[in-house]
Amino acid sequence: VGSLLCEKLSANTTEVSDAFPQAIRPVPIATASVLSGDRLRVEVRSESAVVAADAANAYMDAFLHTRSAPVAFVNAPAVQPNAPVEPRPVRSAILGALIGMVLGLAATGVAHRLAPRPLTAVQRTRAVAPHTVLGELPSVAGTWPLTNASTDRARSLITSILHERSIVRPDARVLQVVAVRRDRPATELCIDIARVLAEKGVNVLILDAAITRPEVHQALGLEGASGLADVLRGEPIESSIVPIGDQLSVMVAGTITGNAMAVLSSRQVESTIATARTTFDQIVVVSPGLASGSASLIVGRLVDATVLVADADDEESQIVEAIDQLELSKAFILGAVFAGEATASRTKAERQ
C-alpha cells in the first residue's frame, strides 16, 4: 500500500484510476481510492509482497507523469512487509483452540441432552403391558467371574420371578432369560436364578444358548470348556455338562464353528433340551439379545417360559418390539426385568 498527496484532487475514484496508464495498471488487483480529499491511496495485492510493492510504486510513479493528473508527489511509498500478513500461526492456533473448545462443549451438551434416560415406572409398565414388571436387577460391581455376592443382591428379584412362575406357569421346568439388546444383565440373572434354585435343593442346569455371543463361560471362569455347540456337532451331552456345585451344573456355549444360526436351527437343540429334562429338575437358558437376530426366538419355542431383561439404556419402543417378537414366536412371557441405575451408570461410562 502506498499513498500520494495531490493538489486540488477533485476527481472521483473512477476518474483518478482512469488517469493511470493502461500499460502498467495491474488491473484487477490494483485499487486507487481518494482519502481526505487530497490523498490518493494505492493498493496492490499479489501472492508476492515484492511484486505488490513494486507494482504499487510503479502505479504511483506513472500517475505522477500522466498529463491529466493534478500536481502530486509520493507521500508514502509502498514497502515490502518484514513478515507475512497471512497466515499468522500463533493467532490461528489460539483461535482454533478457542473455537474447538466452544464446539466441543456444545457437542457435549447436545450429546448429553440426546443420551437415553432410564425409563420411569409408568413407561416400564406401559412398555411391557400386558405382561408383568418383575423387578429391578442390581448391578454387579467389578469384573467376572461372577461371585455369590451378586446372587445375594438379586435375591428379592429372583424370589419375585419364582413366585410369578409358581402362579402363572407352575409346570415350567425350562426358563429362558433373554435381553432386549445387551447380553450381560441377562447372563447375570440366569446364573443368579440357577444359584437360588440350587440352594433350595433343586437340581439345576445353566444352559448357554447364546452361541453367537456367549458369556456364561466368562462369568463362571470356565474358559475353553466344551458345551452346547460341541454337543450339536455330535459330542455326548454328558461330556459338556460341568458340575459347579452340589445341585448346580452348567453347559457353556462351547466351541463355535461355522454358521451358529444354522446350528441352533437344527432339531438337535430340541433333542438336547429334552435329554437335559430327564436329568435336571430345572433348566435355566440364556439366549442372545433379541436385537442381534432370531436365535433367541428359535430357543424360545423350546422353553416353558421366558423372562425379558431390559437394560437401563433400552428405549420404550425397543422393549415393545422385543415383546412383539417373542409373542410372534409363541414364547410364553413370564414378565420383564429392568437393569438397575448402577448398571445404567456403567453402560453410560462405557459409551462415553
Side-chain angles (χ1 to χ4, degrees), residues 176-179 183 186 207-210 285-290 295-297 299-300 303:
Q176 175 184 227
V177 182
V178 60
D183 296 331
L207 176 60
D208 189 357
V285 183
V286 59
S287 297
L290 289 161
S296 53
L297 301 179
V299 178
V303 302

Side-chain angles (χ1 to χ4, degrees), residues 215-275:
E215 293 186 336
V216 170
H217 64 288
Q218 298 175 11
L220 296 176
L222 297 174
E223 300 284 351
S226 61
L228 178 61
D230 303 285
V231 172
L232 298 181
R233 287 197 300 270
E235 291 190 13
I237 185 172
E238 297 81 7
S239 63
S240 297
I241 296 177
V242 181
I244 58 174
D246 292 338
Q247 298 289 331
L248 184 59
S249 301
V250 60
M251 181 187 293
V252 298
T255 306
I256 313 300
T257 58
N259 189 334
M261 287 298 299
V263 174
L264 277 179
S265 300
S266 68
R267 295 187 61 85
Q268 288 178 283
V269 177
E270 184 177 0
S271 174
T272 300
I273 293 178
T275 302

